[in-house]
Amino acid sequence: MLAAYYGYPSISTGDALREAVRKQPDLGKEAQKLMEAGVLVPDSLVDAIVKTRLLEGDSEAGFILDGYPRTLGQAEFFERLATQEGIEIRALGIMVDDEVLVERLSRRWNCPKCHKVYNAGLQPNRASGHCNECGSALIQRKDDRPEVIRERLQVYHQTTKPLVDFYQRRGQYVEVNGEAEVDQIFDSIVAILNREEQNRAAL
Ligand code: AMP
C-alpha cells in the first residue's frame, strides 16, 4: 500500500531470498535451511542483495525496505551506503503484540507470484485459495508454523529490536500501532511521514 501510494519500489530481503532459493536450489540450500528454521542468514548476503537491488535505477525518488536491516551490522552497513548515496533514512516500527503475531502469521497465505499477502478476516482473498490480482494458487510459508514463528520472534527481540534504539538516537525512528485495522495503520503512517515532510519543507 505504501509502495503504491508513494510510487516507490518495495524491496523485501525475505522475498529476494525466497526467489534466489527457488531459482538456484543448490546455491541457496544453506540460506533455505536457516530460513526454514526461523533464524537469520548472514549479514553479508542480505547487504549484497540490497546494494545490488538499489543499483537497478528505479529507486532514485525513494524506496521501501521490508525486513531489512535486522541486525546492528546491517544497520551500520546501510547507514554507510545511505551516506555515500545521499539516501535519507526513516525507520518505521509497526508494533504488534507477540501473541497477536503468532495468530496472524498462522493464518497468513501468500501469492508466490505477485507477493500479495492474505489473511482471513484482515485481507481476505475472493476466490477460494487464489490471488485476487493474478489468480495464482496461494501458499503458506514453511516458517509460518507456530514453533518457527516463536523462534523468529525470539530472534526479533534479541537481535532486531535493539535497532529501535539505534534509529531513535539518530532521530530517524517513527512508530505506529500495528494492531489497528489495515487502513488505519496505513493512514497513520502516511500522516506521520507527510507531517515530517511538511515540517522539513517549512524549515
Ligand atoms: P521475511 O520474509 O522478512 O519474514 O524473512 C524470511 C526469512 O528470510 C527470515 O526469517 C530470515 O531467515 C531471512 N531474512 C530476511 N531478511 C533478512 C535480513 N535482513 N537479515 C537476515 N535474514 C533475513
Side-chain angles (χ1 to χ4, degrees), residues 18 35-36 38 101-110 117-119 139-150 152:
R18 280 183 289 275
M35 290 163 76
E36 285 180 8
L101 281 176
V102 175
E103 171 70 20
R104 276 192 194 170
L105 294 183
S106 315
R107 289 188 288 122
R108 174 164 77 167
W109 288 83
N110 305 273
V117 176
Y118 296 91
N119 199 311
I139 53 166
Q140 258 184 321
R141 280 169 45 170
K142 281 196 175 150
D143 59 350
D144 276 346
R145 283 170 300 183
E147 65 279 15
V148 187
I149 297 170
R150 298 222 179 261
R152 288 159 61 199

Side-chain angles (χ1 to χ4, degrees), residues 7-203:
Y8 293 164
S10 173
I11 303 170
S12 152
T13 43
D15 281 345
L17 287 164
R18 280 183 289 275
E19 189 80 359
V21 165
R22 200 176 56 79
K23 281 194 181 145
Q24 297 165 288
D26 290 343
L27 290 179
K29 250 191 198 104
E30 204 48 46
Q32 184 176 19
K33 238 190 271 164
L34 297 170
M35 290 163 76
E36 285 180 8
V39 296
L40 298 180
V41 307
D43 285 357
S44 54
L45 186 56
V46 278
D47 289 344
I49 288 175
V50 169
K51 192 171 177 182
T52 310
R53 176 62 185 81
L54 292 183
L55 291 176
E56 281 180 27
D58 57 347
S59 354
E60 298 282 295
F63 54 92
I64 296 169
L65 284 175
D66 170 6
Y68 177 93
R70 265 169 147 109
T71 68
L72 199 55
Q74 292 173 25
E76 286 167 348
F77 173 87
F78 187 64
E79 186 168 57
R80 285 193 299 275
L81 186 67
T83 308
Q84 271 167 26
E85 303 294 327
I87 295 164
E88 201 184 324
I89 298 175
R90 280 289 164 277
L92 173 64
I94 304 174
M95 306 317 270
V96 179
D97 180 78
D98 281 6
E99 290 314 310
V100 177
L101 281 176
V102 175
E103 171 70 20
R104 276 192 194 170
L105 294 183
S106 315
R107 289 188 288 122
R108 174 164 77 167
W109 288 83
N110 305 273
C111 175
K113 197 158 165 219
C114 61
H115 303 300
K116 221 172 142 43
V117 176
Y118 296 91
N119 199 311
L122 287 176
Q123 295 125 306
N125 52 308
R126 287 190 292 269
S128 96
H130 290 82
C131 178
N132 292 348
E133 308 289 325
C134 69
S136 302
L138 301 179
I139 53 166
Q140 258 184 321
R141 280 169 45 170
K142 281 196 175 150
D143 59 350
D144 276 346
R145 283 170 300 183
E147 65 279 15
V148 187
I149 297 170
R150 298 222 179 261
E151 176 64 34
R152 288 159 61 199
L153 283 169
Q154 203 171 325
V155 170
Y156 165 75
H157 285 289
Q158 257 171 17
T159 312
T160 305
K161 186 96 192 282
L163 297 189
V164 168
D165 188 47
F166 178 92
Y167 287 113
Q168 244 162 3
R169 276 191 273 120
R170 286 158 172 74
Q172 295 170 331
Y173 184 69
V174 291
E175 185 169 294
V176 295
N177 170 15
E179 291 190 29
E181 294 295 318
V182 174
D183 288 341
Q184 260 176 301
I185 301 171
F186 171 75
D187 288 346
S188 16
I189 295 171
V190 170
I192 294 175
L193 296 180
N194 288 354
R195 203 179 319 126
E196 283 203 352
E197 189 61 39
Q198 280 164 5
N199 289 346
R200 262 200 306 278
L203 284 178

